[in-house]
């Protein structure tokens, strides 16, 4: 039996209910909320991460006061000195999560304690003060309750939440900052990939790497994503949807996409995924899928997976499917792998769809939450 990771152990710790945390971030007046017409325009034409709600949560950290000034305030531009440390030294972490409206109108989120634990893991790596789990959860509760009208109800939709921390002290010098801002913004969103569960095509990049041994590949910080952008731009220009990165040490083993983990479905029904080596983000969706598969008795292994073994498996038929996963896209099938010396079609089968269906059914309250992953934010209004 697989042993839980440290993140999974932290995510399993009990946390107060939403009513007990509500009010930690004090709601500020807002005299310019979006009109009913603007609200309807956004909800009737949902993209991903392109429109934002009326409010945002905000707290500040200083050495003298710790985390303080916890408020839910009107969404709007920030004031940052040109010498703000984040602009020069990149001290920044973030998370991604969603709020879902269930059929009865209540609002829930999925494994928020995993996000709370992971942002602190990221913060430790970037020498940023940790945020108490209760404050993280309270910021989500208070923001979503203030912005409840922005949580959509159509199938496949959600309120995407982006908590982030950045160094705001003004100085030039290579050291950890002495002031930080924690903010949560929210965006009513539809599918991450416009074609939904249509297979995506991947360029396997052998020139660039998103992270290396001893680096920051296992934390959510902007630099990891910035390093993936040039390969993604080049891949997109060639007609590919995403990039599959290889390990930096040997340039032979499968790591992950720019923002998603990878799973390989074998013809015998077993499933493989790259092990968490420190280069790969420990995705919450990845963790959930592994637990789902184990509960069903599906053989699942976390291991070093060479690119050549994947190509050989596709050629022989031993590899039956491949899919990528992450909070934004949830699960998406992979339909093609290509690089300078190969171009191979990946079969699309029912395992990927079944995992997507079960995971989203739990998130939306349509299936039993036997793992205790759901967290109720608000009753129906």
């Amino acid at each position: 039996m697989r042993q839980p990771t440290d993140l999974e152990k932290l995510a399993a710790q009990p946390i107060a209910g939403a009513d007990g945390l509500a009010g930690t971030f004090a709601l500020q007046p807002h005299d310019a909320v979006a009109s009913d017409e603007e609200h309807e325009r956004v909800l009737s034409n949902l993209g991903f991460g392109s429109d934002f709600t009326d409010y945002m949560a905000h707290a500040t950290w200083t050495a003298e006061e710790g985390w303080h000034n916890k408020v839910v305030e009107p969404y709007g531009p920030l004031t940052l000195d040109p010498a703000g440390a984040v602009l020069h030294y990149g001290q920044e972490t973030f998370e991604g999560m969603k709020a879902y409206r269930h059929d009865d109108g209540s609002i829930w989120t999925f494994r928020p304690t995993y996000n709370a634990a992971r942002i602190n893991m990221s913060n430790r790596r970037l020498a940023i003060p940790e945020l108490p789990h209760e404050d993280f959860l309270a910021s989500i509760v208070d923001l979503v309750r203030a912005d409840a009208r922005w949580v959509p109800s159509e199938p496949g939709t959600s309120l995407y939440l982006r908590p982030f921390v950045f160094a705001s002290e003004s100085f030039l010098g290579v050291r950890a900052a002495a002031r930080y801002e924690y903010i949560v913004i929210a965006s009513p969103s539809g599918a991450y990939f416009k074609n939904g569960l249509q297979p995506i095509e991947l360029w396997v990049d052998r020139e660039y790497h998103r992270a290396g041994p001893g680096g920051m590949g296992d934390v959510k910080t902007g630099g990891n994503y910035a390093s993936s952008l040039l390969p993604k731009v080049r891949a997109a220009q060639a007609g590919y949807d995403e990039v599959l990165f290889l390990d930096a040490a040997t340039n032979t083993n499968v790591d992950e996409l720019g923002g998603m983990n990878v799973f390989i479905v074998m013809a015998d029904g077993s499933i493989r995924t790259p092990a968490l080596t420190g280069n790969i983000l420990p995705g919450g969706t990845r963790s959930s899928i592994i637990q789902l598969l184990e509960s069903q008795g599906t053989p699942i292994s976390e291991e070093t997976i060479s690119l050549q073994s994947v190509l050989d498996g596709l050629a022989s038929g031993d590899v039956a499917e491949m899919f990528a996963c992450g909070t934004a896209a949830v699960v998406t099938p992979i339909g093609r792998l290509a690089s300078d010396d190969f171009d191979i079609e990946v079969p699309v089968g029912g395992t990927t769809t079944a995992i997507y269906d079960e995971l989203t059914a739990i998130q939306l309250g349509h299936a039993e939450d036997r793992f205790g992953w759901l967290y109720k934010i608000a009753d129906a209004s």
Side-chain angles (χ1 to χ4, degrees):
M1 175 64 70
R2 170 182 178 268
Q3 296 300 307
T5 66
D6 289 342
L7 271 180
E8 289 167 345
K9 291 176 184 176
L10 288 170
Q13 293 181 357
I15 194 76
D19 287 345
L21 297 174
T24 302
F25 284 68
L27 183 62
Q28 305 299 294
H30 194 330
D31 58 5
V33 297
S35 66
D36 291 342
E37 291 76 16
E38 175 65 7
H39 175 260
E40 175 60 26
R41 180 196 68 78
V42 171
L43 291 191
S44 63
N45 187 33
L46 291 173
F48 188 91
S50 54
D51 293 288
F52 299 91
T53 60
D54 294 314
Y55 291 95
M56 62 185 185
H58 188 180
T60 297
W61 185 92
T62 61
E64 298 76 23
E65 299 182 76
W67 289 109
H68 65 284
N69 193 31
K70 302 167 190 175
V71 296
V72 171
E73 61 190 12
Y75 179 95
L78 304 173
T79 299
L80 183 64
D81 191 284
V86 67
L87 302 177
H88 303 274
Y89 308 110
Q91 261 191 300
E92 179 267 351
T93 64
F94 68 95
E95 276 298 322
M97 51 197 301
K98 292 177 177 178
Y100 305 90
R101 190 176 296 279
H102 285 190
D103 292 342
D104 64 358
S106 59
I107 302 172
W108 301 70
T109 191
F110 184 76
R111 300 191 74 182
T113 49
Y114 193 94
N115 300 95
R118 191 171 61 178
I119 199 170
N120 278 337
M121 184 186 80
S122 300
N123 287 345
R124 287 192 294 274
R125 181 61 181 86
L126 278 92
I128 295 172
E130 294 185 31
L131 182 73
H133 283 201
E134 291 78 7
D135 282 350
F136 183 93
L137 266 292
S139 70
I140 300 302
V141 169
D142 286 331
L143 176 61
V144 173
R145 288 188 175 192
D147 275 329
R149 70 173 181 143
W150 291 100
V151 184
S153 57
E154 294 301 313
T157 66
S158 63
L159 182 67
Y160 184 78
L161 301 165
R162 171 52 58 86
F164 60 101
V165 185
F166 66 91
S168 55
E169 182 190 0
S170 302
F171 73 97
L172 298 179
V174 183
R175 63 168 173 81
R179 180 186 174 98
Y180 299 87
E181 311 300 324
Y182 167 70
I183 296 174
V184 189
I185 57 177
S187 175
S189 297
Y192 183 74
F193 291 112
K194 292 183 179 179
N195 294 326
L197 273 177
Q198 292 298 308
I200 59 173
E201 301 183 350
L202 304 185
W203 176 258
V204 181
D205 201 293
R206 288 185 166 119
E207 181 178 0
Y208 295 100
H209 302 281
R210 63 174 290 279
M216 299 190 299
D218 61 349
V219 303
K220 285 186 77 71
T221 183
N224 285 342
Y225 295 79
S227 67
S228 74
L229 295 182
L230 176 59
K232 285 185 66 170
V233 167
R234 293 170 55 171
Q237 289 171 344
Y240 297 92
D241 299 296
E242 268 287 354
V243 173
L244 176 61
F245 290 95
L246 303 178
D247 73 300
T250 72
N251 207 34
T252 62
N253 299 319
V254 174
D255 262 3
E256 63 173 305
L257 277 61
M260 289 184 282
N261 298 120
V262 176
F263 284 79
I264 300 168
V265 182
M266 307 303 291
D268 64 5
S270 64
I271 297 181
R272 306 162 69 202
T273 191
L276 298 177
T277 60
N279 297 342
I280 299 172
L281 188 74
T285 307
R286 175 189 183 276
S287 167
S288 301
I289 290 171
I290 290 172
Q291 292 181 59
L292 279 176
L293 293 171
E294 280 198 326
S295 73
Q296 298 165 355
T298 301
I300 171 74
S301 62
E302 301 172 78
E303 60 186 87
T304 298
I305 302 174
S306 71
L307 172 64
Q308 191 59 52
S309 73
V310 175
L311 300 179
D312 291 345
L314 287 168
S316 68
D318 288 340
V319 171
E321 299 174 49
M322 294 179 66
F323 63 88
C325 68
T327 297
V330 188
V331 172
T332 190
I334 295 169
R336 179 187 176 196
L337 294 178
S339 193
D340 293 319
D341 57 344
F342 65 84
D343 190 336
I344 188 165
E345 183 177 342
V346 181
V348 177
T351 300
T352 300
T353 302
I355 291 171
Y356 173 85
D357 287 344
E358 182 168 6
L359 195 56
T360 54
I362 293 172
Q363 292 170 340
L364 296 173
H366 296 160
E368 179 189 358
D369 177 24
R370 61 186 187 277
F371 301 97
W373 286 336
L374 293 179
Y375 183 86
K376 189 174 186 179
I377 296 176
D379 293 320
S381 56

